[in-house]
Amino acid sequence: MKALRIALLFSALITPALGKDSAVPPLPPDVPENAVLYSFLMSGNMAGQQAIWKSAAGSTQVFFQFNDRGRGPRIHSTYRLDSDKTPIEISNKGVDYYKAEVAETFHREGGRAEWKSTSEQGAAEQTQGKFFLSLQGSPEETAMLARALLAHGGRIDLLPAGEARADTARKLVVKTGGRKQTVRLFSITGLDFTPRDVWLDSADHLFAMGDTWSMTIRQGWEGVAPALVDAQQKVMTRRNAEFAKKAARRPEGALAIRDASVFDSETMQVTSGQTILIEGNRIRAVGANVEIPVGATVIEAKGKMALPGLWDMHVHIMGNDGLLNIAAGVTTVRDLANDVDELAARRKRYGSGEEIGPRIIAAGFIDGPGPYQGPTKMLAATEAEARKYVNMYHDLGYPQIKIYSSLEPEIVPKVYEEAHKLGMRVSGHIPARMTAAQCVRLGQDEIQHMNFIFLNFMPDVQETRTPARFTEP
């Protein structure tokens, strides 16, 4: 099975199967022939492009687009930079991921800067040497930030607020088609809960940026994407392991949470003054007079609430989501679409304590090929392929299948049949040209997203793979 998954990954990266109609929108005719081109991959499948070139006036022009099941941005950006690599002028025009208009500008003159978009506008003084992050910037903008960080010693103030820091996390030599390239991984912190990784080549130009879910990579080098993701994952794993070692507390003996107010989810009651005794993976006792064993680790919880761990029933876990889940009291999640190998490795790290994260219940993602295919390598065009993928997920221990919107209606009941034969549940979208009532009668156990219930009563809306599935309801 592992060999099958690896073969699927590489065949998708090198010769993407896009179905009867290409999912990749063409580049506009005004992109010059000398533009530097990048491929945008989703789960290894070609989904869009980025093009970079210089205008006659010397500004950097960037065109970025991709198609994600009918959604996806189409933006033309203009950048003009100062000698210290920080932006003097930015213009982003086009449409965003949900096809809303983008009209975003930034301008700095002297020390004063002004910016405006459909979401915000503002101004600031003393902005020299600061980097403005636009809301609808291209992947190239992150590479610009990395170059500015290099020019400013690894730290820079941001506009409208905050600061970014970067360190060179890894060097790698990649090879394809007789060519080789030395690339450097920069991990930028200060932009999100998770460091943002970007690869620059030996001339500090963007080489790649992304992960298994999506990646922008220099055209012609798509085949090295797995090596880049693997290197990023090793850096992330080491970082998370260091944090887990520092932050996690693992009592060797019993653990007692004393004098807590306990919420009982069955009776919907709160009882104060309770002690919770935990040994190993089990709660052994809860009550006002629980005897605490000698040597137990005791947490004083007077004035605090104790409640059962929360469940998040729809996630696509990645990055340091696991840590954020635990911090929010979420101890179990159901992952409804992810890269098979990456999720398996993540679950192993969570289980061993190498990384902090919740229990994961995994659902196997299956879609059909075509212009609106979902972000998965498991694309079933035939009944045989659908049954093969159901069995693959079953062999991996998945208790559930998630179907998606591009599965052909005649294949859908075969998925239900095979999954139920193996004792698995089936949830997911309502595929195009089908209704919720049909799918339930045929055997679907669960429906994701309320809009598919509304669409059941809108039979005229047949194409439910585009944003119409949101806008029509």
Side-chain angles (χ1 to χ4, degrees):
M1 282 301 171
K2 186 171 181 63
L4 167 66
R5 296 198 301 275
I6 292 171
L8 284 165
L9 172 63
F10 278 88
S11 65
L13 284 168
I14 298 167
T15 55
L18 298 173
K20 293 175 288 186
D21 304 300
S22 174
V24 185
L27 283 169
D30 58 342
V31 173
E33 289 185 2
N34 64 348
V36 180
L37 299 181
Y38 295 78
S39 297
F40 184 86
L41 309 176
M42 295 197 72
S43 290
N45 298 315
M46 185 73 172
Q49 317 94 342
Q50 177 180 260
I52 306 172
W53 69 97
K54 288 283 187 181
S55 71
S59 62
T60 299
Q61 306 292 311
V62 182
F63 177 79
F64 179 59
Q65 67 173 356
F66 63 85
N67 173 22
D68 179 15
R69 299 154 288 170
R71 294 169 284 181
R74 183 181 173 89
I75 297 175
H76 186 172
S77 302
T78 298
Y79 297 93
R80 197 160 59 87
L81 304 180
D82 208 340
S83 57
D84 67 351
K85 312 291 186 184
T86 60
I88 298 173
E89 198 161 355
I90 300 175
S91 169
N92 296 320
K93 295 180 179 179
V95 294
D96 66 10
Y97 180 77
Y98 289 107
K99 305 302 182 185
E101 181 187 4
V102 170
E104 184 174 17
T105 59
F106 169 82
H107 180 75
R108 192 185 82 211
E109 191 166 350
R112 178 177 173 79
E114 296 181 353
W115 56 90
K116 185 177 182 180
S117 70
T118 53
S119 301
E120 65 173 3
Q121 67 180 74
E125 305 288 345
Q126 299 178 338
T127 61
Q128 197 78 31
K130 297 182 179 181
F131 196 99
F132 179 79
L133 285 175
S134 63
L135 295 174
Q136 301 294 339
S138 61
E140 172 62 12
E141 188 171 302
T142 301
M144 290 177 178
L145 173 59
R147 290 191 289 269
L149 282 160
L150 281 171
H152 288 256
R155 180 205 164 277
I156 197 167
D157 287 328
L158 300 174
L159 288 171
E163 70 170 31
R165 295 177 182 268
D167 63 89
T168 307
R170 187 80 188 269
K171 263 190 180 182
L172 195 66
V173 176
V174 291
K175 300 177 182 179
T176 187
R179 298 171 297 160
K180 68 177 182 178
Q181 179 85 249
T182 300
V183 293
R184 291 183 294 167
L185 173 63
F186 289 86
S187 289
I188 303 175
T189 55
L191 309 183
D192 204 340
F193 289 118
T194 304
R196 186 176 299 179
D197 290 332
V198 57
W199 293 90
L200 302 185
D201 65 17
S202 55
D204 292 337
H205 297 144
L206 176 65
F207 184 76
M209 175 181 153
D211 50 34
T212 53
W213 191 264
S214 65
M215 175 172 282
T216 304
I217 187 167
R218 189 86 52 81
Q219 193 174 88
W221 292 85
E222 295 85 353
V224 307
L228 301 180
V229 171
D230 182 62
Q232 288 175 200
Q233 189 58 61
K234 286 176 180 175
V235 171
M236 173 73 75
T237 299
R238 185 176 68 246
R239 184 188 300 126
N240 289 341
E242 290 170 356
F243 182 82
K245 187 176 181 181
K246 180 173 65 175
R249 297 172 60 189
R250 295 182 180 84
E252 293 183 2
L255 171 66
I257 302 172
R258 184 162 56 192
D259 205 12
S261 294
V262 173
F263 171 70
D264 186 324
S265 58
E266 291 186 344
T267 65
M268 305 296 285
Q269 299 296 314
V270 175
T271 306
S272 60
Q274 302 292 289
T275 293
I276 305 166
L277 180 63
I278 302 166
E279 293 179 335
N281 273 347
R282 294 289 181 268
I283 296 173
R284 295 301 180 192
V286 180
N289 300 307
V290 173
E291 184 178 343
I292 299 175
V294 175
T297 299
V298 178
I299 296 175
E300 298 294 346
K302 185 175 178 62
K304 295 183 171 65
M305 180 77 72
L307 66 159
L310 302 174
W311 288 47
D312 189 334
M313 298 301 289
H314 193 143
V315 307
H316 308 286
I317 201 160
M318 57 180 56
N320 63 357
D321 290 349
L323 172 62
L324 298 174
N325 275 304
I326 295 299
V330 176
T331 58
T332 304
V333 301
R334 182 176 58 165
D335 191 293
L336 284 174
N338 218 314
D339 179 83
V340 172
D341 294 316
E342 183 174 292
L343 188 63
R346 190 176 302 279
R347 294 172 83 177
K348 186 177 179 181
R349 294 195 301 272
Y350 288 171
S352 68
E354 186 181 3
E355 189 173 333
I356 295 173
R359 298 177 186 89
I360 298 176
I361 297 169
F365 190 26
I366 302 175
D367 198 12
Y372 302 111
Q373 66 193 34
T376 178
K377 297 183 284 290
M378 312 313 171
L379 300 171
T382 66
E383 175 187 338
E385 288 176 336
R387 290 185 186 273
K388 177 183 70 175
Y389 291 140
V390 171
N391 278 271
M392 183 199 80
Y393 283 122
H394 176 263
D395 292 345
L396 291 170
Y398 283 47
Q400 184 171 357
I401 295 296
K402 178 186 179 180
I403 65 170
Y404 217 61
S405 301
S406 287
L407 269 178
E408 291 296 331
E410 62 269 21
I411 295 176
V412 171
K414 308 305 181 183
V415 174
Y416 301 153
E417 179 184 304
E418 191 70 20
H420 290 158
K421 183 176 73 176
L422 296 169
M424 303 171 77
R425 288 168 56 81
V426 181
S427 71
H429 288 196
I430 301 302
R433 304 185 304 285
M434 298 186 77
T435 67
Q438 282 178 306
C439 289
V440 170
R441 281 195 294 269
L442 288 167
Q444 187 157 327
D445 301 294
E446 179 185 336
I447 297 169
Q448 304 300 326
H449 309 302
M450 193 64 188
N451 55 299
F452 287 111
I453 304 297
F454 293 132
L455 286 166
N456 185 76
F457 307 101
M458 305 174 70
D460 292 339
V461 184
Q462 291 287 301
E463 182 50 271
T464 57
R465 298 174 295 176
T466 70
R469 77 171 187 262
F470 307 111
T471 58
E472 292 301 324

